[in-house]
Amino acid sequence: MCGIAGWIDSKVEMSEKMDVLGKMSRTLDRRGPDENGIYVNKNTALIHRRLVVIDRENGKQPMAVNHNGTTFVIVYNGELYNTESLREELRADGFHFRGHSDTEVVLKSYIKYGKRCAEKLNGIFAFAVFNSEDKSVFLCRDRIGVKPLFYYEYEGGLLFASEIKSLLASGIVKPQIDEQGLYEIFFLGPARTPSCGIFKGVFELNPGEFAVYKDEKLTRETYFSVEAKEHTDDESQTIEKTRQLLTDAIQRQLVSDVPLCFFLSGGLDSSIITKVASDYFREHKLGKINTYSVEYRDNEKYFERSLFQPNADFEYISMMSKSADSRHREIILENVLLADALYDSVKARDLPGYVDVDSSLLLFCREIKRDYTVALSGECADELFGGYPWYHNEKILFEECFPWSKSQDIRRSILKDGILKNGEEYVRQRYLDTVNKAPKLKSDSRIDARMREMFYLNYYWFMQCLLERKDRCSMYSGLEVRVPFCDYRLVEYAYNMPWELKAWNGREKGIVRKAFEDILPEEICWRKKSPYPKTHNPIYFKVCVERVRKVLEKKTVLTELLDKDGIESIIECPDKISSPWYGQLMQAPQILAYIIELDYWFEEYNIEII
């Protein structure tokens, strides 16, 4: 994985902007700590920071190829999982390769197929290709949106980058937010409306989109989205196809020139990946796999069962590690350090985020990076296969709202009266905009039609928030994390699977459980879903209270918006919050942590409200 950026401006000689380009590059050094490079061609500059995973010598970037008198230059962030088959296809058309990097395959696929190359690629990626003949730049993001690509278009020019901080480093993009940005932060955050970059004028290519910048105009186009099709496989075929698609996705993602490891939570998804990988390593005589889990200091003393978190993970992790014969390490996080890492989490995302769910992952990845550069993780099975409680509670299922943030009451309570008074309407419109796009069949039952809408909501909102978290918090330490459940073939198959099959035997992710029941311990295969662990230690809440009260003592742009009494009521009565701020776990400590992140973001980024 890497970091990329670029600047195109018809009025600017880029060779005179090397200081600015260098500054933009340095903002991405955590994504690519191993190598860096800048390509300049008159009014165009491409920037690359490299994390070396495959073919160190022949994968250097920016990578240039001359073809029939035209020079094509690529900056690429990602991993391609069908590299070899695509390389052979290109070889059959007369292309030659100097190494085995996927970057070269992506570049030559673009030379061969043009913008339709995106449809040939199976992987997680964001890249840009410059064409020296027509001075165009082609931008592309992977089908599922695992890798980011932001941009800012202005009169006569375009900036793009893996992270917003690189756009800000150009000096052209200002740290400004308008009313829409405030609605996003206070009523939708940590999620974002698809394509919205929060900062004024900053946008992101959506999953499955590419864009062409030519003659001072950017044109976006969708090359992938799920389509409603009839599911023709019977039960046994569906079980087998689910198993085959996921197993193939996992095995494809084990390719690396550097050692890789595995996240193991003791839940269904990470356990499947761990077991499939372990069997593959054993079959190919590659030795034992290495697994990692995360926990918080003294968490077992304070753990409380809930609808969202019915049991602790540690006993299941031990069971799965033994079953897979892995070398396992548990990383214990200190609660004060968890709070301290909230600030780095903001810098990683360039936005207030998923608070300690982010900061814990950031600290977890920092420890793993000491020994590994690549890891595999079980993200996104819940969104694709109905893993969350809101899929299985009909009372919640048919409510016309985002199921992970049903009420805006708690959000409204931290704002002064009259501030952002249309917040609820803004959220409802974002909801409607999404469900109304969900493709359906006339033959869909009431439940299947609603499940398509739920899939769309989870896919474009909740899942994207988690993928953003995984990318930023891992890449902040230069750790590449791969997510096999995000293989687009599995996504397509899951979208059209009838609910009675997907929820086999009435269970969340029932079809996945059934598909892998013969290789997992029964207790893990049929374990009730438990989300990413959070701290239950009161020390964390105490630290957040102390820091929030310090925030409220200041007179800033942010505190002019906040209602101190509303925030104090959360502090004094934390158990009276009827539903989480976001997702399953954002209760009182996390709401306070969000305010801490907001304060840091406004100050560190010098945010101006316009």
Side-chain angles (χ1 to χ4, degrees):
M1 294 300 166
C2 307
I4 67 171
W7 186 7
I8 309 100
D9 191 315
S10 59
K11 303 177 185 66
V12 174
E13 184 68 46
M14 290 297 163
S15 60
E16 299 176 0
K17 296 291 184 179
M18 295 305 293
D19 286 349
V20 176
L21 297 173
K23 186 178 179 182
M24 291 173 64
S25 175
R26 287 189 293 276
T27 65
L28 300 172
D29 60 354
R30 286 181 169 271
R31 296 186 71 90
D34 298 330
E35 295 177 351
N36 66 87
I38 298 176
Y39 170 86
V40 169
N41 183 306
K42 293 186 178 178
N43 307 121
T44 300
L46 301 181
I47 297 166
H48 191 262
R49 303 290 305 210
R50 189 180 181 199
L51 177 68
V52 176
V53 173
I54 293 176
D55 199 355
R56 174 181 285 273
E57 187 57 36
N58 296 298
K60 295 180 183 297
Q61 299 185 52
M63 180 181 289
V65 167
N66 186 279
H67 183 76
N68 294 335
T70 300
T71 298
F72 297 88
V73 187
I74 189 172
V75 284
Y76 167 73
N77 165 33
E79 294 293 345
L80 198 61
Y81 302 133
N82 62 334
T83 301
E84 293 310 314
S85 60
L86 194 48
R87 194 193 327 268
E88 289 308 309
E89 183 178 320
L90 291 165
R91 276 187 175 135
D93 282 325
F95 284 87
H96 299 281
F97 292 85
R98 64 191 182 211
H100 65 277
S101 79
D102 52 347
T103 306
E104 189 176 6
V105 172
V106 173
L107 177 55
K108 290 178 178 175
S109 295
Y110 176 75
I111 293 171
K112 169 67 178 175
Y113 299 109
K115 64 184 183 180
R116 306 300 351 157
C117 74
E119 299 166 7
K120 293 278 186 179
L121 309 178
N122 179 355
I124 54 177
F125 52 79
F127 65 90
V129 180
F130 170 67
N131 181 324
S132 69
E133 182 178 10
D134 63 9
K135 310 303 181 188
S136 66
V137 173
F138 175 75
L139 305 174
C140 187
R141 192 176 181 208
D142 67 72
R143 288 173 173 87
I144 313 303
V146 179
K147 290 291 128 182
L149 190 56
F150 295 93
Y151 70 88
Y152 180 88
E153 188 177 11
Y154 61 98
E155 186 177 353
L158 177 77
L159 289 151
F160 66 86
S162 298
E163 296 181 5
I164 294 171
K165 58 175 63 68
S166 187
L167 302 180
L168 294 170
S170 71
I172 292 175
V173 182
K174 306 300 181 186
Q176 298 173 330
I177 58 171
D178 57 13
E179 186 176 54
Q180 180 185 359
L182 291 172
Y183 281 132
E184 293 277 331
I185 289 293
F186 283 103
F187 285 91
L188 290 170
R192 295 184 283 116
T193 297
S195 194
C196 175
I198 308 298
F199 290 86
K200 180 69 174 175
V202 173
F203 297 93
E204 185 177 25
L205 281 188
N206 282 326
E209 280 191 343
F210 61 70
V212 177
Y213 186 73
K214 185 178 179 182
D215 299 327
E216 300 183 10
K217 181 181 180 183
L218 184 74
T219 304
R220 286 170 59 163
E221 187 174 334
T222 299
Y223 71 89
F224 174 83
S225 60
V226 291
E227 298 176 11
K229 298 177 183 178
E230 184 181 355
H231 185 84
T232 58
D233 292 343
D234 62 21
E235 180 181 290
S236 62
Q237 290 170 326
T238 302
I239 292 167
E240 179 56 33
K241 186 77 175 286
T242 300
R243 178 172 175 139
Q244 181 269 321
L245 284 172
L246 181 53
T247 299
D248 183 67
I250 295 166
Q251 291 178 348
R252 284 174 181 265
Q253 298 188 26
L254 299 177
V255 176
S256 174
D257 286 352
V258 297
L260 45 77
C261 66
F262 303 84
F263 290 7
L264 178 59
S265 69
L268 177 70
D269 315 326
S270 65
S271 294
I272 290 172
I273 293 171
T274 295
K275 182 58 174 171
V276 170
S278 174
D279 290 348
Y280 181 90
F281 271 51
R282 185 162 47 250
E283 180 184 346
H284 291 82
K285 296 180 172 55
L286 298 174
K288 289 188 178 186
I289 65 170
N290 289 268
T291 53
Y292 288 82
S293 64
V294 64
E295 188 51 276
Y296 306 88
R297 180 70 64 196
D298 295 331
N299 222 26
E300 70 281 0
K301 294 181 183 177
Y302 304 101
F303 178 79
E304 294 182 5
R305 297 177 188 273
S306 69
L307 172 65
F308 294 129
Q309 200 156 22
N311 44 44
D313 291 331
F314 58 87
E315 60 189 89
Y316 298 95
I317 292 169
S318 177
M319 183 187 304
M320 193 60 228
S321 177
K322 289 176 183 176
S323 175
D325 192 26
S326 75
R327 285 187 292 262
H328 185 75
R329 180 185 168 199
E330 182 184 52
I331 293 173
I332 306 292
L333 302 182
E334 302 293 340
N335 286 276
V336 174
L337 294 181
L338 183 69
D340 291 343
L342 291 171
Y343 309 109
D344 271 355
S345 300
V346 172
K347 289 194 287 187
R349 275 203 185 211
D350 295 315
L351 295 165
Y354 215 161
V355 291
D356 49 87
V357 181
D358 282 354
S359 64
S360 61
L361 179 62
L362 188 146
L363 294 173
F364 183 46
C365 290
R366 182 178 296 170
E367 286 301 308
I368 293 173
K369 176 61 179 179
R370 297 179 189 276
D371 300 308
Y372 287 93
T373 300
V374 180
L376 270 68
S377 177
E379 245 78 16
C380 302
D382 294 302
E383 290 80 9
L384 304 180
F385 290 99
Y388 294 117
W390 50 71
Y391 281 100
H392 300 270
N393 183 332
E394 194 159 318
K395 203 172 182 182
I396 300 173
L397 180 62
F398 286 95
E399 288 189 52
E400 294 194 344
C401 63
F402 291 114
W404 51 83
S405 187
K406 295 197 303 170
S407 170
Q408 276 73 56
D409 290 351
I410 189 66
R411 294 171 180 266
R412 174 64 67 191
S413 74
I414 72 165
L415 292 170
K416 289 181 178 176
D417 288 343
I419 297 291
L420 301 176
K421 53 189 175 183
N422 296 321
E424 290 79 2
E425 292 79 3
Y426 184 87
V427 172
R428 176 162 174 75
Q429 191 58 53
R430 302 289 82 73
Y431 164 83
L432 293 173
D433 289 345
T434 307
V435 296
N436 290 338
K437 291 177 183 176
K440 301 173 187 175
L441 296 178
K442 290 182 179 179
S443 59
D444 285 341
S445 66
R446 175 174 178 262
I447 189 75
D448 282 326
R450 180 55 176 168
M451 286 303 177
R452 291 193 189 276
E453 293 177 350
M454 289 292 283
F455 189 109
Y456 237 60
L457 287 169
N458 280 271
Y459 182 80
Y460 283 106
W461 288 86
F462 203 78
M463 187 166 133
Q464 295 305 317
C465 185
L466 291 178
L467 288 174
E468 180 174 17
R469 162 186 176 258
K470 183 56 61 83
D471 174 82
R472 301 310 186 282
C473 295
S474 60
M475 294 302 291
Y476 194 74
S477 294
L479 178 70
E480 172 188 315
V481 179
R482 301 173 181 177
V483 279
F485 278 94
C486 288
D487 187 294
Y488 76 92
R489 300 166 301 164
L490 195 63
V491 172
E492 289 177 314
Y493 195 62
Y495 185 70
N496 290 298
M497 195 182 295
W499 181 243
E500 64 178 8
L501 282 176
K502 190 178 287 188
W504 190 90
N505 203 29
R507 287 301 306 273
E508 69 281 4
K509 296 180 288 191
I511 196 70
V512 180
R513 298 176 190 275
K514 185 64 179 174
F516 290 90
E517 66 176 348
D518 64 329
I519 71 168
L520 296 178
E522 183 178 359
E523 297 92 331
I524 288 176
C525 188
W526 299 102
R527 177 192 179 193
K528 187 172 177 60
K529 175 187 165 49
S530 187
Y532 182 86
K534 72 170 183 177
T535 181
H536 296 267
N537 195 317
I539 291 174
Y540 181 72
F541 182 60
K542 181 181 178 182
V543 171
C544 287
V545 168
E546 291 171 353
R547 295 185 186 185
V548 161
R549 283 180 167 151
K550 287 181 179 179
V551 169
L552 297 179
E553 288 172 2
K554 298 188 289 187
K555 186 173 180 61
T556 65
V557 173
L558 173 64
T559 56
E560 287 298 306
L561 304 174
L562 298 179
D563 185 296
K564 294 182 180 180
D565 292 338
I567 295 169
E568 279 293 337
S569 70
I570 295 173
I571 294 172
E572 298 299 330
C573 305
D575 296 330
K576 289 189 177 180
I577 296 173
S578 58
S579 62
W581 174 282
Y582 181 86
Q584 302 168 75
L585 302 178
M586 284 187 75
Q587 297 283 357
Q590 289 73 32
I591 295 168
L592 300 183
Y594 193 74
I595 295 169
I596 293 167
E597 288 199 343
L598 277 169
D599 174 66
Y600 181 75
W601 182 63
F602 266 86
E603 289 195 2
E604 180 71 12
Y605 285 74
N606 195 26
I607 301 297
E608 178 189 3
I609 299 174
I610 58 172

